[in-house]
Amino acid sequence: MLFKFLTGKEIGHLQTGLILSQVGGLLLIFAGLFVLLPSKIITVGDDVGGWVWILVGVGIIRMLAPILVGKGSRVAFWVVIVLSVLKLIESFIATVGDSSEHLQFYWYLAVTGLVEVGVLIHLLNPKARAELNNK
């Protein structure tokens, strides 16, 4: 609907889900870079570990997989859906615990969770699978 107002052309559920998936990938990459790059605002301690590189790597996969789906890959379609489900679960797990310690993560749940819900709503729609079958 938003793209219809911006461009005058309506796009389908498949394209909307893939665009939102790429937005989610960008959010993962930016979140990983926020932790990796030195900052006075975000401090995680000295032991950053390999989880940040996993976060950036999954973000890159989330940027590339929708391109493969656009070329007709059904395997990449299901990879995008699985990564979205895992990211939605992870965003809930990140906010579990003592509310005084995890207040900074509620924005994380709102931003990333809403994007993932949008991805799943659009990609799991039967019209999106029909669009993929027509490619």
Side-chain angles (χ1 to χ4, degrees):
M1 185 66 110
L2 173 68
F3 294 104
K4 183 176 182 180
F5 292 122
L6 291 175
T7 63
K9 179 183 175 190
E10 189 170 346
I11 62 173
H13 288 281
L14 181 65
Q15 290 88 2
T16 304
L18 295 178
I19 290 169
L20 287 173
S21 178
Q22 286 193 318
V23 168
L26 278 175
L27 288 173
L28 282 174
I29 292 170
F30 287 142
L33 291 177
F34 276 137
V35 174
L36 280 176
L37 299 175
S39 172
K40 292 181 181 181
I41 298 172
I42 300 173
T43 57
V44 290
D46 293 333
D47 111 26
V48 173
W51 63 269
V52 176
W53 292 108
I54 292 171
L55 192 70
V56 172
V58 170
I60 292 171
I61 291 170
R62 295 255 338 245
M63 291 294 296
L64 297 176
I67 295 170
L68 294 174
V69 174
K71 294 185 182 225
S73 173
R74 286 176 179 77
V75 173
F77 176 78
W78 292 106
V79 167
V80 169
I81 290 175
V82 167
L83 288 176
S84 292
V85 168
L86 289 175
K87 180 64 182 145
L88 187 61
I89 292 169
E90 182 270 334
S91 57
F92 280 109
I93 291 174
T95 59
V96 173
D98 185 21
S99 62
S100 64
E101 290 181 13
H102 297 293
L103 284 176
Q104 68 270 18
F105 288 113
Y106 288 131
W107 67 267
Y108 180 74
L109 175 65
V111 171
T112 60
L114 288 176
V115 169
E116 300 309 324
V117 167
V119 169
L120 292 173
I121 285 173
H122 286 287
L123 289 183
L124 292 176
N125 190 329
K127 292 179 184 176
R129 289 191 296 267
E131 287 178 42
L132 183 63
N133 290 335
N134 290 336
K135 288 194 177 244

